[in-house]
Amino acid sequence: MAVQTVAGNTTSSAPAVDLGPAAALSCRECGERFELGPLFACASCFGPLEVAYDLPTGSPEELRKRIEAGPDNIWRYAPLLPVPADVAEKPNINPGFTKLVKADNLARELGVTGGLYVKDDSGNPTHSFKDRVVAIAVEAARAFGFTTLSCSSTGNLAGAVGAAAARAGLRSCVFIPHDLEQGKVVMAAVYGGELVAIEGSYDDVNRFCSELIGDPLGEGWGFVNVNLRPYYGEGSKTLAYEICEQLGWRLPDQIVIPIASGSQLTKIDKGFQELIKLGLVEDRPYKIFGAQAEGCSPVSAAFKAGHDVVRPQKPNTIAKSLAIGNPADGPYVLDIARRTGGAVEDVTDEQVVDAIKLLARTEGIFGETAGGVTLGVTKKLIEAGAIDPTLTTVVLNTGDGLKTLDAVSATSQATATIKPSLDAFRAAGLVAG
Ligand SMILES: *Cc1c(COP(=O)(O)O)cnc(C)c1O
């Protein structure tokens, strides 16, 4: 590819890696730019780094046609992602282009008249949205020559890394808190990589991984959500692209997004902004709402208190995939919710379970606890008048209920257990009247 020249404090030599339109890393805080590499913090101010692009310059119509002619996965958006142009031909789990379900039954139940949609990311290869971020991180790992793929995970990420490493022919070694759901543990282990359970919370696991990166023990390791985090994060932009394309190249008026580290929410906003800048969607206001479980609600607490800083919490909730007590992108989430006129709200574990069952009962979608958090918060914000029921609203279901069976198993069992006879069935009282 052509030699990229980037402004700022980078060396003048051509980048050694081809990550398509990605031009440099830039600091979110001070704007300083760095050459593409496995870096995640600004050398000057320690702010988080993100990918800066040379975005396509052609007409929006040309770009739209090019995207629509692309594969039915996230690589249709390759011109907007830090991946090489021939990415679709490389061994990758190829996630994305999941269903945007028009949820009319749910809309009726919630009194939404402006159009309610569920973006169902349980349809990804390892049944969560994490496949999007990992698919991009794999390409970065390949470009930087890492041979081991790793992560600290609340569960879904470990499975996605295991699967993606298997497909890409890389070694994997992933780290999880020791008390995760059985479905998440098995999904993380079955792909044949190393799975290490740490006696502690996710925040302990994350701290451990940061130490490992700085140690010779972790040399040559690509940690998707630490030293590859700037690339990893970009995968979440594809949710924004897909939702707009599936709505007919239109921004939703309102979107509700679950928050763990807050990365997904901030990158969906980045994706919307890019589509506006490229002229692919009309520039109209949209509101972004963040969803947390009450038992791990540091961002929601800061939002409600009017604070700019997020005070860490010790998580205690059934929504384990969202149980990050010290969310790295928390302050940026607060900025986005406030700038767009959205909000951050939380619900109890009981409301999470009710919302999982509501989604299943009305739309035939079995979401994991994170989906219950997001729909539960949506319902609460509609009732509070913060979400306008007359506008188009998108709710994310980011994971599959089969991985968090315990959340609903007590109340989802056989209606009756009977002998195989018509008399027994009649006696059970289930015959339609
Ligand atoms: C990881 C995860 C999220 C949110 O992740 P962020 O760290 O906020 O980007 C949401 N839902 C599920 C199911 C997840 O596994």
Side-chain angles (χ1 to χ4, degrees):
M1 80 182 256
V3 172
Q4 310 267 7
T5 49
V6 293
N9 200 7
T10 52
T11 62
S12 57
S13 61
V17 297
D18 172 11
L19 289 176
L25 294 175
S26 78
C27 175
R28 269 196 92 140
E29 289 298 322
C30 73
E32 186 165 339
R33 283 164 80 105
F34 301 87
E35 209 174 290
L36 294 172
L39 307 173
F40 56 103
C42 175
S44 300
C45 75
F46 302 109
L49 300 180
E50 67 176 339
V51 178
Y53 294 91
D54 291 331
L55 286 177
T57 49
S59 75
E61 287 68 35
E62 262 168 30
L63 182 55
R64 202 177 290 142
K65 276 204 196 105
R66 186 171 155 196
I67 289 170
E68 287 171 352
D72 284 342
N73 55 51
I74 62 170
W75 306 133
R76 66 203 280 112
Y77 309 106
L80 313 179
L81 296 170
V83 293
D86 62 348
V87 61
E89 283 133 52
K90 299 185 183 250
N92 196 301
I93 47 172
N94 304 331
F97 226 64
T98 56
K99 289 181 181 135
L100 183 70
V101 178
K102 185 140 193 291
D104 290 340
N105 299 328
L106 179 61
R108 257 190 306 279
E109 190 118 357
L110 297 179
V112 174
T113 55
L116 181 63
Y117 297 83
V118 175
K119 179 63 170 166
D120 187 12
D121 251 10
S122 67
N124 276 316
T126 73
H127 307 279
S128 88
F129 112 91
K130 288 297 196 301
D131 290 321
R132 297 175 182 276
V133 285
V134 169
I136 308 276
V138 163
E139 297 307 320
R142 242 198 286 268
F144 302 139
F146 290 123
T147 50
T148 298
L149 212 56
S150 184
C151 67
S152 53
S153 173
T154 56
N156 284 316
L157 185 57
V161 166
R167 180 72 59 84
L170 299 169
R171 180 178 175 251
S172 71
C173 181
V174 301
F175 300 91
I176 56 171
H178 67 110
D179 61 350
L180 288 186
E181 304 95 336
Q182 184 71 357
K184 301 262 173 74
V185 174
V186 172
M187 279 288 282
V190 75
Y191 302 104
E194 316 291 342
L195 171 67
V196 180
I198 303 249
E199 292 171 2
S201 69
Y202 171 80
D203 297 287
D204 296 318
V205 178
N206 205 30
R207 225 176 359 257
F208 166 82
C209 286
S210 300
E211 274 180 51
L212 183 52
I213 275 186
D215 191 274
L217 279 173
E219 229 173 85
W221 289 33
F223 283 81
V224 301
N225 57 341
V226 190
N227 58 354
L228 298 175
R229 189 173 182 83
Y231 310 93
Y232 157 101
E234 296 298 291
S236 291
K237 292 192 309 181
T238 60
L239 273 164
Y241 303 154
E242 286 179 20
I243 288 166
C244 289
E245 183 177 352
Q246 289 168 321
L247 287 173
W249 293 107
R250 193 167 62 85
L251 289 163
D253 299 311
Q254 306 171 119
I255 182 166
V256 193
I257 304 169
I259 301 166
S261 72
S263 170
Q264 183 188 23
L265 187 147
T266 64
K267 299 304 178 181
I268 288 175
D269 179 56
K270 186 180 181 184
F272 287 157
Q273 291 297 318
E274 285 175 353
L275 294 184
I276 292 170
K277 214 177 303 167
L278 289 163
L280 289 174
V281 297
E282 190 192 337
D283 186 1
R284 299 191 310 142
Y286 57 85
K287 292 185 179 182
I288 293 189
F289 297 87
Q292 296 205 292
E294 186 183 272
C296 182
S297 52
V299 188
S300 151
F303 181 86
K304 291 184 200 170
H307 293 161
D308 296 329
V309 290
V310 173
R311 188 177 306 158
Q313 291 182 3
K314 199 167 164 24
N316 179 19
T317 169
I318 58 168
K320 293 184 192 218
S321 55
L322 304 180
I324 298 185
N326 189 11
D329 288 305
Y332 300 115
V333 168
L334 292 171
D335 284 350
I336 290 165
R338 289 178 179 137
R339 169 171 57 74
T340 63
V344 186
E345 187 50 272
D346 56 80
V347 283
T348 64
D349 283 356
E350 199 183 332
Q351 290 169 313
V352 172
V353 172
D354 287 348
I356 292 173
K357 295 173 86 169
L358 173 64
L359 183 60
R361 172 165 67 73
T362 54
E363 298 298 337
I365 297 171
F366 184 21
E368 77 141 86
T369 45
V373 166
T374 312
L375 181 56
V377 161
T378 305
K379 184 166 185 276
K380 189 169 172 179
L381 289 173
I382 290 169
E383 285 160 3
I387 286 180
D388 184 340
T390 67
L391 298 177
T392 304
T393 304
V394 174
V395 179
L396 300 192
N397 175 45
T398 48
D400 194 320
L402 286 173
K403 291 202 219 178
T404 58
L405 286 175
D406 281 356
V408 290
S409 60
T411 50
S412 302
Q413 293 294 334
T415 311
T417 303
I418 59 168
K419 293 275 189 302
S421 80
L422 292 178
D423 281 346
F425 181 57
R426 196 175 298 109
L430 297 174
V431 183

